[in-house]
Amino acid sequence: MRLRLVCVGQKMPEWVSQGYNEYARRMPPELSLDLVEIPLAHRGKNPDIPRLRQREGDAILSALGPRDRVIALEVGGRNWSTEKLAGQLENWQLDGRDVSFLVGGPDGLADICRDRADQLWSLSALTLPHPLVRILLAEQLYRAWSVTRNHPYHRA
């Protein structure tokens, strides 16, 4: 099973790449974490935000496999504790489908992405910078895996 982080935005600062890569490389081979970057639609003067968000949404959906379990990261989604995420991870592994996590651009996810999602997950009620979400998500997935394996990384 593969985990895939599909997010809008490219050319992140080095500290973002280093943070994400640190946790992605810690994941076991049978549960690899891949990053798919979707180009941010150009926002010129007086941008048509709904149209741009739709364009980004179409690109996100084209990056998904037809059988992927899709988790959209949304402020209005459900909050999961580390233990709940670990349980989700185990269930996803039993299901056997690849899992794609969707992170929208600065204007959020298109409705078509939320409609395609099997679950909506909120990392926090706070508004988080999209680059930081990459690192936070990778760390939480690694932590959840460590819980499922009684690895000493997670010390609750």
Side-chain angles (χ1 to χ4, degrees):
M1 181 182 107
R2 288 183 11 209
L3 302 173
R4 187 178 305 118
L5 174 54
V6 183
C7 52
V8 175
Q10 298 173 304
K11 300 179 183 174
M12 293 291 119
E14 184 62 26
W15 65 269
V16 174
S17 299
Q18 287 176 343
Y20 170 82
N21 289 333
E22 175 63 27
Y23 292 106
R25 78 167 178 78
R26 292 183 187 193
M27 295 297 289
E30 69 274 8
L31 198 59
S32 64
L33 177 59
D34 301 319
L35 177 64
V36 178
E37 294 180 314
I38 304 298
L40 179 68
H42 178 70
R43 284 154 171 78
K45 189 175 183 180
N46 300 318
D48 181 352
I49 297 300
R51 186 177 56 80
L52 297 176
R53 189 172 37 231
Q54 180 70 32
R55 185 181 307 157
E56 292 166 354
D58 290 339
I60 288 171
L61 293 183
S62 70
L64 303 178
R67 290 188 13 91
D68 283 8
R69 175 177 296 278
V70 176
I71 313 300
L73 278 80
E74 281 285 313
V75 172
R78 292 185 175 257
N79 291 309
W80 296 340
S81 66
T82 298
E83 290 74 17
K84 173 74 173 175
L85 177 58
Q88 292 279 359
L89 189 60
E90 287 183 316
N91 289 336
W92 298 333
Q93 286 179 287
L94 291 173
D95 181 51
R97 293 186 290 164
D98 291 341
V99 179
S100 289
F101 300 91
L102 311 184
V103 179
D107 300 302
L109 280 171
D111 290 340
I112 57 173
C113 293
R114 282 190 294 279
D115 292 344
R116 170 64 176 83
D118 297 292
Q119 294 172 283
L120 301 179
W121 177 23
S122 174
L123 292 177
S124 172
L126 300 170
T127 301
L128 300 171
H130 289 80
L132 189 58
V133 168
R134 295 177 185 207
I135 300 169
L136 184 59
L137 180 60
E139 191 279 336
Q140 285 300 299
L141 290 170
Y142 175 69
R143 182 177 296 276
W145 172 81
S146 74
V147 168
T148 67
R149 298 299 185 263
N150 292 315
H151 187 281
Y153 179 77
H154 177 69
R155 296 179 184 97

